[in-house]
Amino acid sequence: MSHAAPQPRRIDAQGPLTGTVAVPGDKSISHRSLMLSALAVGESRIEGLLEGEDVLATAAAMRAMGATIDRGDDGVWRVSGVGVGGLLQPAGALDMGNSGTSTRLLMGLVASHPITATFTGDASLSGRPMGRVIEPLARMGADITASPGGRLPLMLRGLTPAVPIEYTLPVASAQVKSAILLAGLNTPGITRVIEPVATRDHSERMLAGFGANLTVTPSPAGRIIEIHGEAELKPQSITVPGDPSSAAFWLVAASVVPGSDIVVTNVGLNPTRTGLIAALRLMGADIEEVDARTVGGEPVADLRVRHAALTAIDVPAEIAPSMIDEYPVLFVAAAFAAGRTTARGAHELRVKESDRIATMATALAACGVQVEEHEDGLSIDGTGGDAIPGGATIASKLDHRIAMSMTVAGLHAVRPVTIDDIGPVATSYPGFYASLDRLIAGPA
């Protein structure tokens, strides 16, 4: 799943964004829906699945371990699962492409099955440390041989029966939490995760929906999540809501480009994912929730966003876990706000597809924005709504969110901004640039 030759794209400021846009299905929910459907006994149906490269990597891996996964002409995915404990030995290495979520969660699944899997990935993923997942899974009995620095390629030999553990997350990470819970599915007894800082809870919601015996209890130490092992999962019909992380680019673009007025439809508003909306509203963004509803156990609404004058804020650190993937585009919003915005509490950004703190600091500075880099975030002096100077070629570092965030920045720049390679955008949002062209053109 390596990318072909770089695909540069020049971004010119072309006036307001208007019209309606639908974003792809939520990436986090898409991954989990495939994995849990593959562990259920019977056929599950998934509508609205994100068909980006990351999620397709998960589908390919689950097929390699015995699940039957097909996409119908109606766009509905049908998955016939093997049952918890039924994963088969894959014939070859599992190529995870650029997907850290696929890798970490699938490591959890394999850890409590009597199989061996080798995980590989592209250059970006192979640079990302897996130690935070290796440590708890090794405590459960998995034998893991990683490349230097705890990186891919990595070979994991699962253990059955695995050992239930109690594990307090040292960093706020939904991926680590989910990997342990997924390992706990096929582990006798109770596996317990203590989460001092709440992270996105899609795994808990979906595990419970599939019939796992799972409880979440608040405590002074944080959320205590317990899963009873040797579960029997029941097939489900799942409708995946629109990905708030993909919607984020349109929320910021419409907020900063003068004259913009758009509606982003069917956006998932799980409270563990709405930190960016909260931050933008603190800055003065005009974001209206329309037709709020519940779809598949997840809150959903259409979001109308109109251009607004943004004011700098100190981003509350406690909302960092609910917007960790949205920090790059929040940095872009800050570049157009009045005053100095400081966004910290985001150490996790250092180990994403790229070092998103350093990469965004370099990219914004190249476009004439005043930036101060911190260990855990950035301080940014905004323009007060004026266009940024622009005129730079941005190194996206094989990171889809850097490419899309700096595309948004280029929509209100004096000189064109060129993204060196938009190929990685296909990992999460294959139709992003087509949607951008439609919003620039406006309603027919």
Side-chain angles (χ1 to χ4, degrees), residues 37 157 172 274 383:
S37 295
R157 298 179 183 87
T274 54
T383 65

Side-chain angles (χ1 to χ4, degrees), residues 9-13 367 388-393 410 413-419:
R9 173 137 178 166
R10 171 173 148 161
I11 309 301
D12 297 281
C367 289
I388 61 172
T393 294
V414 176
R415 296 186 299 278
V417 172
T418 300
I419 312 299

Side-chain angles (χ1 to χ4, degrees), residues 96-373:
M96 298 290 95
N98 189 239
S99 182
T101 301
S102 302
T103 306
R104 295 187 174 108
L105 270 59
L106 288 172
M107 285 172 63
L109 280 184
V110 171
S112 58
H113 281 75
I115 61 177
T116 298
T118 298
F119 294 86
T120 63
D122 68 9
S124 171
L125 182 61
S126 298
R128 298 174 66 180
M130 297 294 159
R132 61 181 54 176
V133 181
I134 292 171
E135 195 269 328
L137 295 182
R139 283 179 51 185
M140 298 181 78
D143 180 8
I144 303 168
T145 303
S147 297
R151 292 172 165 81
L152 301 188
L154 173 155
M155 184 169 68
L156 189 154
R157 298 179 183 87
L159 176 69
T160 301
V163 180
I165 62 171
E166 177 178 299
Y167 191 77
T168 299
L169 293 179
V171 295
S173 172
Q175 292 180 359
V176 177
K177 170 180 67 176
S178 298
I180 298 167
L181 294 176
L182 291 173
L185 272 177
N186 197 41
T187 299
I190 298 174
T191 297
R192 182 179 295 110
V193 179
I194 301 171
E195 187 177 50
V197 178
T199 64
R200 57 184 64 177
D201 64 353
H202 300 305
S203 291
E204 296 95 303
R205 287 176 184 250
M206 192 167 286
L207 281 163
F210 271 84
N213 185 351
L214 180 142
T215 60
V216 180
T217 308
S219 80
R223 299 169 77 242
I224 300 174
I225 306 138
E226 295 183 340
I227 189 164
H228 294 248
E230 300 175 304
E232 183 175 330
L233 303 186
K234 301 175 180 62
Q236 302 293 311
S237 290
I238 301 165
T239 299
V240 180
D243 195 328
S245 296
S246 295
F249 303 104
W250 307 127
L251 302 186
V252 173
S255 294
V256 303
V257 177
S260 294
D261 184 350
I262 68 172
V263 174
V264 190
T265 60
N266 194 44
V267 180
L269 295 180
N270 182 301
T272 64
R273 300 286 301 282
T274 54
L276 178 74
I277 294 174
L280 289 176
R281 283 175 169 159
L282 288 173
M283 297 172 80
D286 182 356
I287 302 172
E288 177 187 359
E289 295 177 21
V290 180
D291 189 21
R293 54 205 184 272
T294 300
V295 176
E298 295 273 352
V300 169
D302 302 334
L303 299 178
R304 184 179 183 187
V305 193
R306 286 168 280 202
H307 172 252
L310 302 183
T311 303
I313 61 169
D314 288 336
V315 179
E318 61 269 18
I319 68 174
S322 64
M323 59 180 292
I324 198 68
D325 284 333
E326 290 76 69
Y327 265 88
V329 80
L330 174 71
F331 296 151
V332 172
F336 296 98
R340 166 169 277 216
T341 295
T342 297
R344 304 193 64 168
H347 298 86
E348 184 78 1
L349 294 181
R350 295 286 188 186
V351 292
K352 289 289 189 177
E353 282 84 337
S354 67
D355 178 340
R356 287 179 173 163
I357 294 173
T359 304
M360 283 302 296
T362 299
L364 288 170
C367 289
V369 179
Q370 295 296 312
V371 181
E372 179 183 355
E373 183 175 338

Side-chain angles (χ1 to χ4, degrees), residues 33-61:
S33 64
L34 285 171
M35 292 180 194
L36 295 185
S37 295
L39 291 177
V41 177
E43 183 179 272
S44 295
R45 299 173 75 259
I46 308 170
E47 295 185 56
L49 188 84
L50 168 62
E51 297 180 4
E53 291 177 0
D54 283 10
V55 174
L56 297 180
T58 292

